[in-house]
Amino acid sequence: MGKAEKEQLNRALTAHLNTIHETLQVLDQSPPSNSMEKVTWSQVIQIGEQVSKQATIAGMLWNGESPQAKEVAENVNSYFNVLQGFLLLSHGSTVGAGPTLSSSIHESVKHVVDCSFRLMKEHVSLYGSHNKEKKLSMPQIVGAVWEACSALKKVPPTNVTAIGRAMTQVAVSMKDVLREINELKPASSNPGDETCDNTPSKTESKPEDDDMSDDDLGSDLSPEEMKVAQLAHGVVSETLVVIKELIRTITGMLKLETPNDNGKFVGSLEKLLKICQGVGAEIDEIGACLYPPQEIDEIKLALEKMSSRINEIQQEVESFPTSSEPFVEACSGLRTVLKQMEAQLNCLSATELTTKMQNVAVIN
């Protein structure tokens, strides 16, 4: 195991790594739909299995006696040849892909490449090494490549599926907000009655109170604030219904995704996703504003934005060849609760203003 052989292996590895880096830079740009034939994602998965096999061979070379330099070099060459083919097919699968699907593809491909780089670097560094612990780490590194290649099966195969999954993530975030609203609780209904329930006064505290986390503080709501939280609960619940019906609507449109419309249909879906993400941001804002002291003006602004976004979503969906009554009904239901909450907030604002004016009059 001479020094010259190790240097030659390192030079070959560096050349392969540079070639892959250059390929990745070229493939960063999405191919025009009419410039090359689209590769199906199943073909990418198949060549991903070949990458896994090459990783297995690399790992097996270090079972028992150390391999010869020629064996390592041949395996490195074979591995990078397959990896190069994997990148080219992956790039072909992005023909006609919108930003959401392209992002999923690039993320999964990058994970395979990163794990492959780590494996090949370790593979070459082991040659001539007497470190037994490094040799024992090979199965784990090979396993990482297997997992990365296996994860290719979870990549959405179409734009519709990719965008549907992204919308599902918006819905998951909304469910988190709904859960947080459910955890809000009213303040003690009789704060002045300290003799009935042995509750410590503000000047007293139980020893365990010192261990309370920040999450336990400031979440008790007044009756008025609880009304706002209950209305917000209705808004979030109805918004979830809209998002679910929207997902159901677009996933039923797989046949509408064709390469002949110059990306018009996919563009519409991407627009819907962006609007949904905007709605999700407004829901997050409302949830954050429910903690006392509640920020009523911010909640009202978020409701206005939501109302506008829902109109945009419905208008976009109605431009599709097929319609969905449940989706239209869900939008109508959401508009109703939005108006109810806006009206309630306006009443609270008016009551608060009247109270302030009365207090000023008493002072004067």
Side-chain angles (χ1 to χ4, degrees):
M1 296 184 185
K3 184 178 180 181
E5 291 174 324
K6 184 64 175 279
E7 289 178 351
Q8 187 175 357
L9 284 173
N10 279 321
R11 283 195 300 271
L13 174 63
T14 300
H16 284 301
L17 295 177
N18 289 338
T19 299
I20 295 297
H21 277 302
E22 291 170 1
T23 303
L24 286 172
Q25 289 177 354
V26 173
L27 302 187
D28 263 349
Q29 300 178 357
S30 297
S33 299
N34 56 358
S35 67
M36 58 187 294
E37 187 177 348
K38 181 175 176 62
V39 175
T40 64
W41 190 247
S42 60
Q43 291 175 276
V44 178
I45 292 173
Q46 287 176 0
I47 196 169
E49 292 171 353
Q50 295 302 314
V51 174
S52 287
K53 289 180 181 178
Q54 289 298 323
T56 302
I57 294 171
M60 290 177 63
L61 286 176
W62 296 100
N63 287 339
E65 295 184 6
S66 297
Q68 299 295 316
K70 183 180 178 182
E71 292 178 289
V72 176
E74 287 176 351
N75 177 247
V76 169
N77 288 333
S78 297
Y79 193 102
F80 278 104
N81 284 338
V82 175
L83 188 62
Q84 184 81 352
F86 167 75
L87 291 179
L88 293 174
L89 284 181
S90 299
H91 185 59
S93 72
T94 62
V95 172
T100 304
L101 178 56
S102 292
S103 177
S104 297
I105 292 173
H106 289 156
E107 184 179 346
S108 63
V109 168
K110 186 177 184 303
H111 188 37
V112 172
V113 170
D114 289 344
C115 292
S116 294
F117 278 12
R118 185 186 174 200
L119 172 62
M120 289 295 102
K121 288 176 181 178
E122 189 72 11
H123 191 21
V124 170
S125 70
L126 277 175
Y127 181 78
S129 172
H130 300 288
N131 188 332
K132 293 183 178 180
E133 290 185 4
K134 287 188 69 176
K135 186 176 178 180
L136 294 174
S137 70
M138 276 298 279
Q140 183 179 356
I141 300 173
V142 170
V145 176
W146 290 347
E147 290 178 6
C149 293
S150 179
L152 295 171
K153 298 174 183 176
K154 298 178 181 179
V155 174
T158 66
N159 286 291
V160 170
T161 308
I163 292 170
R165 288 185 188 178
M167 287 182 178
T168 300
Q169 289 304 309
V170 174
V172 168
S173 178
M174 289 182 185
K175 286 183 179 178
D176 289 339
V177 174
L178 202 60
R179 175 182 52 78
E180 291 170 4
I181 295 175
N182 286 331
E183 290 173 356
L184 293 172
K185 55 186 182 293
S188 174
S189 57
N190 297 306
D193 186 2
E194 297 174 4
T195 60
C196 298
D197 57 3
N198 298 321
T199 303
S201 67
K202 291 182 180 178
T203 56
E204 300 174 351
S205 64
K206 294 181 180 180
E208 60 266 24
D209 287 347
D210 296 333
D211 297 328
M212 292 175 69
S213 68
D214 292 340
D215 292 337
D216 296 323
L217 303 176
S219 59
D220 291 355
L221 306 184
S222 68
E224 292 78 12
E225 289 171 334
M226 277 303 298
K227 286 181 182 177
V228 175
Q230 289 165 358
L231 288 166
H233 186 283
V235 167
V236 178
S237 297
E238 290 297 327
T239 306
L240 268 170
V241 175
V242 170
I243 298 300
K244 288 177 181 178
E245 288 300 333
L246 177 61
I247 293 171
R248 188 175 288 113
T249 299
I250 68 169
T251 51
M253 298 181 179
L254 278 169
K255 293 181 180 179
L256 295 180
E257 185 179 342
T258 63
N260 301 326
D261 68 348
N262 295 318
K264 184 178 178 182
F265 176 64
V266 174
S268 293
L269 295 185
E270 292 287 354
K271 181 180 178 181
L272 281 171
L273 173 60
K274 190 172 182 180
I275 300 172
C276 283
Q277 290 169 336
V279 172
E282 302 308 332
I283 291 292
D284 288 341
E285 179 69 15
I286 291 172
C289 291
L290 292 176
Y291 292 92
Q294 289 180 343
E295 301 174 53
I296 300 301
D297 288 341
E298 294 298 321
I299 295 175
K300 289 167 70 174
L301 180 60
L303 292 176
E304 289 176 13
K305 290 181 179 179
M306 278 187 63
S307 182
S308 175
R309 293 185 196 278
I310 294 304
N311 290 338
E312 288 183 63
I313 290 175
Q314 186 168 351
Q315 185 177 0
E316 195 67 32
V317 171
E318 287 176 348
S319 70
F320 295 144
T322 57
S323 59
S324 169
E325 271 190 45
F327 170 73
V328 174
E329 290 173 2
C331 289
S332 178
L334 176 55
R335 287 193 188 92
T336 299
V337 294
L338 284 171
K339 289 176 181 177
Q340 289 174 349
M341 187 169 185
E342 286 172 0
Q344 184 67 32
L345 292 180
N346 287 333
C347 285
L348 289 174
S349 297
T351 303
E352 185 179 352
L353 179 60
T354 301
T355 303
K356 286 181 179 180
M357 293 177 68
Q358 290 173 345
N359 290 338
V360 170
V362 170
I363 293 172
N364 292 335

